[in-house]
Amino acid sequence: MIEFASLSPAVQATVLLVVVLVEAVALYAGYGVVERAVAPPLIETIENA
């Protein structure tokens, strides 16, 4: 594992920012895939209820 404590505070902040942005993009894409898969049948079920 990489030892981040030995890095300067500016580098630590940059690494944290990059990790958070990558996680946000992954979650956004994941939710988009789930929405495309689940939304149409769910909407159809609600409309037919």
Side-chain angles (χ1 to χ4, degrees), residues 1-48:
M1 185 171 214
I2 299 172
E3 185 66 37
F4 289 111
S6 63
L7 300 175
S8 71
V11 174
Q12 288 180 3
T14 303
V15 169
L16 179 62
L17 180 63
V18 168
V19 168
V20 169
L21 288 175
V22 168
E23 182 180 2
V25 169
L27 287 171
Y28 183 77
Y31 285 136
V33 169
V34 170
E35 180 185 4
R36 286 180 184 232
V38 174
L42 183 62
I43 291 171
E44 184 178 328
T45 302
I46 291 171
E47 287 176 347
N48 292 334

